[in-house]
Amino acid sequence: MANFIPFLFFLSALMLVGASSSSMEISPVGYWNKLLPKTPIPKTLDAFLPTGIDSLFKRKYIGILHANGSSWNQYNLEITLDQLKENDENNFYFLEENLKPGSKTKKLDFVKKVQGTSSWPTLLPRREAQGFHFSSSKLADILKRFAMDPNSADASVVKQTLEDCEKEANKGETRCCATSLESMVDFAVSQLKTNDLQLLTYSFVNKAEREPKSRVYTVQPGVVELPSSQAVVCHIQSYPYAVFHCHTPVKTKSYIVPLVAEEDGSRMSGGAVCHTDTSSWSPNHASMLVLGIKPGTPVCHFLPHGHFVFVPNSAS
Protein backbone atom coordinates (compact mmCIF):
# COMPACT_ATOMS: atom_id res chain seq x y z
CA MET A 1 0.00 0.00 0.00
CA ALA A 2 2.89 2.30 0.82
CA ASN A 3 4.24 1.92 -2.71
CA PHE A 4 0.82 2.35 -4.28
CA ILE A 5 0.05 5.75 -2.71
CA PRO A 6 2.96 7.54 -4.46
CA PHE A 7 1.77 6.01 -7.71
CA LEU A 8 -1.68 7.54 -7.22
CA PHE A 9 -0.01 10.94 -6.99
CA PHE A 10 1.94 10.10 -10.13
CA LEU A 11 -1.26 9.16 -11.99
CA SER A 12 -2.72 12.52 -11.00
CA ALA A 13 0.36 14.22 -12.41
CA LEU A 14 0.03 12.17 -15.61
CA MET A 15 -3.55 13.39 -16.03
CA LEU A 16 -2.41 16.97 -15.54
CA VAL A 17 0.28 16.52 -18.21
CA GLY A 18 -2.34 15.16 -20.59
CA ALA A 19 -4.71 18.03 -19.86
CA SER A 20 -2.06 20.69 -20.24
CA SER A 21 -0.78 19.18 -23.49
CA SER A 22 -4.07 20.00 -25.20
CA SER A 23 -3.73 23.71 -24.48
CA MET A 24 0.05 23.95 -24.37
CA GLU A 25 1.66 21.72 -26.99
CA ILE A 26 4.24 19.30 -25.58
CA SER A 27 6.58 17.53 -27.98
CA PRO A 28 6.69 13.71 -27.88
CA VAL A 29 10.18 13.86 -26.37
CA GLY A 30 9.03 16.45 -23.84
CA TYR A 31 6.13 14.20 -22.88
CA TRP A 32 8.51 11.25 -22.43
CA ASN A 33 10.85 13.32 -20.26
CA LYS A 34 8.01 14.50 -18.02
CA LEU A 35 6.61 11.02 -17.44
CA LEU A 36 9.90 9.09 -17.48
CA PRO A 37 12.51 11.53 -16.13
CA LYS A 38 14.87 8.71 -15.14
CA THR A 39 14.67 6.88 -18.48
CA PRO A 40 16.66 8.37 -21.36
CA ILE A 41 15.42 7.67 -24.89
CA PRO A 42 17.92 5.22 -26.45
CA LYS A 43 19.29 5.78 -29.95
CA THR A 44 17.40 2.74 -31.19
CA LEU A 45 14.06 4.38 -30.31
CA ASP A 46 15.16 7.89 -31.26
CA ALA A 47 15.66 6.53 -34.81
CA PHE A 48 11.86 6.31 -35.13
CA LEU A 49 11.13 9.88 -34.05
CA PRO A 50 10.26 12.75 -36.42
CA THR A 51 13.08 14.91 -37.75
CA GLY A 52 11.15 18.18 -37.80
CA ILE A 53 9.59 17.73 -41.25
CA ASP A 54 6.00 18.96 -41.23
CA SER A 55 4.41 16.80 -43.89
CA LEU A 56 3.83 13.10 -43.20
CA PHE A 57 4.37 12.33 -46.85
CA LYS A 58 7.85 13.85 -46.68
CA ARG A 59 8.71 11.70 -43.68
CA LYS A 60 10.31 8.26 -43.74
CA TYR A 61 7.28 6.71 -45.41
CA ILE A 62 7.82 3.07 -46.19
CA GLY A 63 6.90 2.44 -49.80
CA ILE A 64 7.59 -1.30 -49.60
CA LEU A 65 6.06 -2.82 -46.50
CA HIS A 66 7.36 -6.03 -44.98
CA ALA A 67 5.06 -8.85 -43.97
CA ASN A 68 4.15 -9.15 -40.30
CA GLY A 69 6.00 -12.40 -39.76
CA SER A 70 6.93 -12.05 -36.10
CA SER A 71 5.36 -14.60 -33.76
CA TRP A 72 6.71 -13.07 -30.57
CA ASN A 73 3.34 -11.72 -29.46
CA GLN A 74 1.14 -14.44 -30.98
CA TYR A 75 1.71 -17.62 -29.00
CA ASN A 76 -0.84 -19.68 -30.94
CA LEU A 77 0.52 -18.70 -34.35
CA GLU A 78 1.57 -21.84 -36.20
CA ILE A 79 4.12 -21.80 -39.00
CA THR A 80 5.63 -24.30 -41.40
CA LEU A 81 9.29 -25.22 -41.70
CA ASP A 82 9.47 -23.30 -45.00
CA GLN A 83 8.08 -20.17 -43.31
CA LEU A 84 10.58 -20.66 -40.50
CA LYS A 85 13.49 -20.26 -42.92
CA GLU A 86 12.04 -17.06 -44.42
CA ASN A 87 12.24 -14.99 -41.22
CA ASP A 88 15.71 -14.21 -39.86
CA GLU A 89 14.17 -12.89 -36.63
CA ASN A 90 13.58 -16.50 -35.59
CA ASN A 91 17.35 -16.73 -34.99
CA PHE A 92 16.85 -14.47 -31.96
CA TYR A 93 15.15 -17.26 -30.00
CA PHE A 94 17.33 -19.15 -27.52
CA LEU A 95 17.12 -21.32 -24.40
CA GLU A 96 17.57 -19.87 -20.92
CA GLU A 97 20.59 -22.09 -20.35
CA ASN A 98 22.33 -20.22 -23.20
CA LEU A 99 22.67 -17.15 -20.98
CA LYS A 100 25.75 -18.77 -19.44
CA PRO A 101 29.10 -17.11 -20.33
CA GLY A 102 30.69 -18.82 -23.32
CA SER A 103 27.38 -19.68 -24.98
CA LYS A 104 27.17 -18.76 -28.65
CA THR A 105 24.24 -17.26 -30.52
CA LYS A 106 23.09 -17.99 -34.03
CA LYS A 107 23.85 -15.36 -36.66
CA LEU A 108 22.05 -12.22 -35.52
CA ASP A 109 21.49 -8.94 -37.35
CA PHE A 110 20.28 -6.49 -34.71
CA VAL A 111 19.90 -3.50 -37.04
CA LYS A 112 18.56 -5.10 -40.20
CA LYS A 113 16.81 -2.52 -42.39
CA VAL A 114 13.40 -3.03 -43.91
CA GLN A 115 13.88 -4.63 -47.30
CA GLY A 116 13.70 -2.15 -50.17
CA THR A 117 13.98 0.96 -47.99
CA SER A 118 16.74 3.05 -46.47
CA SER A 119 15.06 3.65 -43.15
CA TRP A 120 12.31 2.69 -40.75
CA PRO A 121 8.90 4.42 -40.51
CA THR A 122 8.32 7.47 -38.34
CA LEU A 123 6.62 7.38 -34.93
CA LEU A 124 4.21 10.29 -35.28
CA PRO A 125 3.31 12.84 -32.59
CA ARG A 126 0.04 11.80 -30.96
CA ARG A 127 -1.97 14.72 -32.34
CA GLU A 128 -0.86 13.87 -35.88
CA ALA A 129 -1.49 10.14 -35.45
CA GLN A 130 -5.00 10.84 -34.17
CA GLY A 131 -5.72 12.53 -37.49
CA PHE A 132 -5.56 9.16 -39.27
CA HIS A 133 -8.12 6.36 -39.13
CA PHE A 134 -6.73 3.22 -37.51
CA SER A 135 -9.41 0.57 -37.84
CA SER A 136 -10.06 -2.32 -40.21
CA SER A 137 -13.56 -0.91 -40.71
CA LYS A 138 -11.90 2.15 -42.30
CA LEU A 139 -9.49 0.18 -44.48
CA ALA A 140 -10.73 1.68 -47.74
CA ASP A 141 -10.24 5.22 -46.40
CA ILE A 142 -6.76 4.36 -45.08
CA LEU A 143 -5.64 2.89 -48.40
CA LYS A 144 -6.96 5.91 -50.25
CA ARG A 145 -5.17 8.29 -47.86
CA PHE A 146 -1.85 6.57 -48.57
CA ALA A 147 -2.57 6.10 -52.29
CA MET A 148 -2.39 2.31 -52.08
CA ASP A 149 -3.93 -0.04 -54.62
CA PRO A 150 -6.51 -2.13 -52.70
CA ASN A 151 -5.30 -5.21 -54.58
CA SER A 152 -1.62 -4.67 -53.84
CA ALA A 153 0.64 -6.60 -51.48
CA ASP A 154 1.10 -3.43 -49.42
CA ALA A 155 -2.66 -3.16 -48.92
CA SER A 156 -2.75 -6.75 -47.68
CA VAL A 157 -0.02 -6.01 -45.14
CA VAL A 158 -1.86 -2.91 -43.87
CA LYS A 159 -5.06 -4.95 -43.55
CA GLN A 160 -3.22 -7.66 -41.61
CA THR A 161 -1.68 -5.11 -39.21
CA LEU A 162 -5.07 -3.57 -38.44
CA GLU A 163 -6.64 -6.99 -37.85
CA ASP A 164 -3.76 -8.08 -35.62
CA CYS A 165 -4.20 -4.92 -33.54
CA GLU A 166 -7.89 -5.71 -33.08
CA LYS A 167 -7.41 -9.30 -31.90
CA GLU A 168 -8.08 -10.24 -28.30
CA ALA A 169 -5.05 -10.18 -26.02
CA ASN A 170 -3.32 -13.40 -25.05
CA LYS A 171 -4.69 -14.96 -21.85
CA GLY A 172 -3.62 -12.94 -18.82
CA GLU A 173 -2.21 -10.09 -20.92
CA THR A 174 -3.21 -6.53 -21.73
CA ARG A 175 -2.29 -5.07 -25.10
CA CYS A 176 -2.47 -2.00 -27.29
CA CYS A 177 -1.16 -0.81 -30.63
CA ALA A 178 0.72 2.41 -29.92
CA THR A 179 0.69 4.86 -32.83
CA SER A 180 2.71 7.53 -31.02
CA LEU A 181 5.52 7.84 -28.50
CA GLU A 182 3.05 9.37 -26.04
CA SER A 183 0.65 6.41 -26.25
CA MET A 184 3.55 3.98 -25.81
CA VAL A 185 4.64 5.79 -22.63
CA ASP A 186 1.08 5.96 -21.29
CA PHE A 187 0.57 2.23 -21.77
CA ALA A 188 3.89 1.27 -20.14
CA VAL A 189 3.36 3.50 -17.10
CA SER A 190 -0.29 2.52 -16.60
CA GLN A 191 0.45 -1.21 -16.81
CA LEU A 192 3.61 -1.25 -14.69
CA LYS A 193 2.25 1.28 -12.17
CA THR A 194 5.52 3.15 -11.86
CA ASN A 195 7.56 5.64 -13.82
CA ASP A 196 10.87 4.26 -12.52
CA LEU A 197 11.50 2.19 -15.62
CA GLN A 198 14.37 0.86 -17.64
CA LEU A 199 14.01 0.43 -21.41
CA LEU A 200 15.78 -2.64 -22.75
CA THR A 201 17.08 -2.61 -26.31
CA TYR A 202 20.54 -3.19 -27.81
CA SER A 203 23.58 -0.95 -28.03
CA PHE A 204 27.05 -1.34 -29.48
CA VAL A 205 29.73 -0.62 -26.91
CA ASN A 206 32.97 -0.22 -28.85
CA LYS A 207 31.88 0.29 -32.45
CA ALA A 208 29.15 2.24 -34.19
CA GLU A 209 27.02 -0.07 -36.30
CA ARG A 210 26.83 1.61 -39.69
CA GLU A 211 25.84 -1.28 -41.95
CA PRO A 212 23.47 -4.11 -41.07
CA LYS A 213 25.47 -7.29 -40.63
CA SER A 214 24.81 -10.78 -39.28
CA ARG A 215 27.25 -11.93 -36.62
CA VAL A 216 27.67 -14.84 -34.24
CA TYR A 217 28.08 -13.56 -30.67
CA THR A 218 29.51 -15.09 -27.51
CA VAL A 219 27.88 -14.39 -24.15
CA GLN A 220 30.31 -12.71 -21.75
CA PRO A 221 30.45 -12.74 -17.93
CA GLY A 222 28.27 -10.10 -16.28
CA VAL A 223 24.75 -11.07 -17.39
CA VAL A 224 22.30 -9.01 -15.30
CA GLU A 225 18.83 -10.25 -14.40
CA LEU A 226 16.49 -7.37 -13.62
CA PRO A 227 14.57 -7.67 -10.33
CA SER A 228 11.01 -7.36 -11.68
CA SER A 229 8.96 -10.16 -13.22
CA GLN A 230 6.70 -7.61 -14.93
CA ALA A 231 7.34 -6.06 -18.33
CA VAL A 232 5.74 -4.23 -21.22
CA VAL A 233 7.10 -5.49 -24.52
CA CYS A 234 6.65 -3.47 -27.74
CA HIS A 235 7.16 -4.84 -31.26
CA ILE A 236 7.28 -2.78 -34.46
CA GLN A 237 4.49 -3.57 -36.94
CA SER A 238 4.35 -3.04 -40.67
CA TYR A 239 2.46 0.14 -41.51
CA PRO A 240 3.00 3.41 -43.44
CA TYR A 241 4.02 5.08 -40.15
CA ALA A 242 5.41 3.47 -37.01
CA VAL A 243 3.00 1.34 -35.00
CA PHE A 244 4.14 -0.72 -32.02
CA HIS A 245 2.22 -3.69 -30.67
CA CYS A 246 2.74 -3.45 -26.90
CA HIS A 247 1.66 -6.16 -24.48
CA THR A 248 2.21 -7.40 -20.93
CA PRO A 249 3.55 -10.97 -21.10
CA VAL A 250 3.04 -13.02 -17.95
CA LYS A 251 5.81 -14.81 -16.05
CA THR A 252 8.85 -13.24 -17.66
CA LYS A 253 12.47 -12.61 -16.74
CA SER A 254 14.40 -9.72 -18.26
CA TYR A 255 18.15 -9.62 -18.80
CA ILE A 256 20.95 -7.38 -19.99
CA VAL A 257 23.46 -9.57 -21.79
CA PRO A 258 27.04 -8.56 -22.71
CA LEU A 259 27.98 -9.99 -26.12
CA VAL A 260 31.13 -10.08 -28.24
CA ALA A 261 31.10 -10.85 -31.98
CA GLU A 262 33.41 -13.66 -33.04
CA GLU A 263 34.11 -12.11 -36.43
CA ASP A 264 35.35 -8.62 -35.56
CA GLY A 265 35.28 -8.29 -31.77
CA SER A 266 32.31 -5.89 -31.75
CA ARG A 267 31.02 -5.55 -28.21
CA MET A 268 27.37 -4.94 -27.51
CA SER A 269 24.82 -4.97 -24.73
CA GLY A 270 21.69 -6.88 -25.68
CA GLY A 271 18.33 -6.84 -23.94
CA ALA A 272 16.65 -10.22 -23.62
CA VAL A 273 13.34 -11.57 -22.33
CA CYS A 274 12.58 -15.11 -21.17
CA HIS A 275 9.03 -16.45 -21.10
CA THR A 276 9.08 -18.97 -18.26
CA ASP A 277 5.63 -20.49 -18.88
CA THR A 278 4.96 -21.54 -22.47
CA SER A 279 2.55 -24.36 -21.61
CA SER A 280 -0.26 -22.74 -23.62
CA TRP A 281 1.87 -22.03 -26.71
CA SER A 282 1.33 -23.88 -29.98
CA PRO A 283 3.72 -26.81 -30.56
CA ASN A 284 4.22 -25.34 -34.04
CA HIS A 285 5.12 -21.88 -32.76
CA ALA A 286 8.32 -20.60 -34.37
CA SER A 287 10.27 -20.83 -31.10
CA MET A 288 9.32 -24.48 -30.61
CA LEU A 289 10.44 -25.41 -34.11
CA VAL A 290 13.64 -23.36 -34.01
CA LEU A 291 14.75 -24.67 -30.62
CA GLY A 292 13.42 -28.22 -31.01
CA ILE A 293 11.36 -28.04 -27.81
CA LYS A 294 7.80 -28.58 -26.63
CA PRO A 295 5.34 -26.19 -24.94
CA GLY A 296 6.20 -25.74 -21.27
CA THR A 297 9.91 -25.15 -21.88
CA PRO A 298 11.06 -21.57 -21.15
CA VAL A 299 11.73 -19.54 -24.32
CA CYS A 300 14.03 -16.50 -24.52
CA HIS A 301 14.74 -13.98 -27.25
CA PHE A 302 17.01 -11.02 -27.83
CA LEU A 303 15.64 -7.67 -29.03
CA PRO A 304 16.51 -6.63 -32.59
CA HIS A 305 15.77 -3.18 -33.99
CA GLY A 306 12.18 -2.10 -33.43
CA HIS A 307 11.62 -4.24 -30.32
CA PHE A 308 11.71 -2.74 -26.82
CA VAL A 309 10.98 -3.83 -23.25
CA PHE A 310 9.96 -1.54 -20.39
CA VAL A 311 10.91 -3.06 -17.02
CA PRO A 312 10.53 -1.61 -13.49
CA ASN A 313 13.83 -0.95 -11.75
CA SER A 314 12.56 -2.53 -8.54
CA ALA A 315 11.05 -5.91 -7.78
CA SER A 316 7.32 -6.32 -8.20
Side-chain angles (χ1 to χ4, degrees):
M1 184 68 178
N3 291 332
F4 187 67
I5 291 175
F7 181 68
L8 290 177
F9 284 106
F10 173 71
L11 279 181
S12 299
L14 188 153
M15 293 173 66
L16 287 174
V17 169
S20 63
S21 65
S22 60
S23 57
M24 195 171 65
E25 196 66 31
I26 300 177
S27 71
V29 172
Y31 191 85
W32 175 289
N33 291 337
K34 279 184 176 291
L35 267 66
L36 300 176
K38 299 179 182 179
T39 311
I41 297 178
K43 292 181 179 179
T44 48
L45 180 56
D46 184 70
F48 289 92
L49 298 182
T51 57
I53 302 173
D54 292 329
S55 171
L56 169 67
F57 296 96
K58 292 180 182 177
R59 296 188 191 277
K60 300 174 183 177
Y61 169 68
I62 292 223
I64 303 177
L65 300 175
H66 63 291
N68 286 324
S70 176
S71 56
W72 292 354
N73 57 317
Q74 298 183 54
Y75 308 140
N76 292 319
L77 183 64
E78 298 186 351
I79 67 170
T80 65
L81 291 176
D82 287 338
Q83 291 173 320
L84 193 69
K85 298 174 184 177
E86 295 172 359
N87 192 345
D88 292 341
E89 285 192 349
N90 290 324
N91 287 343
F92 285 82
Y93 288 117
F94 64 92
L95 297 173
E96 193 170 14
E97 63 192 45
N98 295 133
L99 286 169
K100 296 177 181 178
S103 298
K104 297 186 185 303
T105 70
K106 296 181 179 180
K107 274 197 168 185
L108 305 179
D109 184 355
F110 281 88
V111 294
K112 183 177 181 180
K113 295 290 191 296
V114 178
Q115 183 179 5
T117 70
S118 59
S119 61
W120 291 75
T122 298
L123 192 56
L124 303 180
R126 173 150 50 195
R127 190 175 69 168
E128 188 172 342
Q130 290 174 339
F132 292 92
H133 291 302
F134 192 79
S135 168
S136 59
S137 66
K138 298 291 185 179
L139 178 62
D141 293 337
I142 294 170
L143 297 180
K144 183 178 180 180
R145 183 73 179 269
F146 291 103
M148 288 185 179
D149 181 347
N151 299 314
S152 67
D154 282 0
S156 297
V157 172
V158 168
K159 179 175 182 289
Q160 184 64 56
T161 295
L162 293 169
E163 291 176 348
D164 287 345
C165 285
E166 293 169 353
K167 288 180 180 177
E168 289 188 12
N170 297 314
K171 184 178 179 180
E173 294 189 2
T174 304
R175 55 173 289 176
C176 84
C177 277
T179 58
S180 67
L181 188 68
E182 298 94 320
S183 58
M184 182 188 292
V185 172
D186 285 348
F187 182 75
V189 171
S190 65
Q191 295 303 310
L192 299 174
K193 296 180 173 57
T194 179
N195 69 333
D196 185 15
L197 302 176
Q198 184 165 172
L199 184 62
L200 298 190
T201 177
Y202 69 88
S203 62
F204 285 86
V205 177
N206 63 335
K207 291 186 178 182
E209 178 70 346
R210 300 186 182 280
E211 293 297 330
K213 190 174 185 180
S214 294
R215 296 178 174 92
V216 173
Y217 293 90
T218 302
V219 176
Q220 302 298 297
V223 174
V224 176
E225 180 180 353
L226 299 186
S228 179
S229 61
Q230 293 185 311
V232 166
V233 185
C234 297
H235 309 285
I236 187 68
Q237 303 297 290
S238 192
Y239 207 69
Y241 51 89
V243 173
F244 286 87
H245 179 282
C246 298
H247 63 122
T248 56
V250 296
K251 296 183 179 179
T252 60
K253 297 179 181 179
S254 301
Y255 296 90
I256 300 173
V257 186
L259 300 167
V260 173
E262 288 188 336
E263 179 182 342
D264 57 11
S266 296
R267 292 182 174 273
M268 69 171 299
S269 174
V273 174
C274 292
H275 301 263
T276 58
D277 182 5
T278 63
S279 57
S280 63
W281 292 26
S282 167
N284 290 320
H285 185 271
S287 63
M288 303 293 152
L289 299 180
V290 166
L291 300 174
I293 58 175
K294 295 181 179 181
T297 306
V299 168
C300 306
H301 59 78
F302 289 111
L303 303 169
H305 198 63
H307 301 266
F308 304 94
V309 179
F310 293 88
V311 187
N313 281 315
S314 57
S316 55

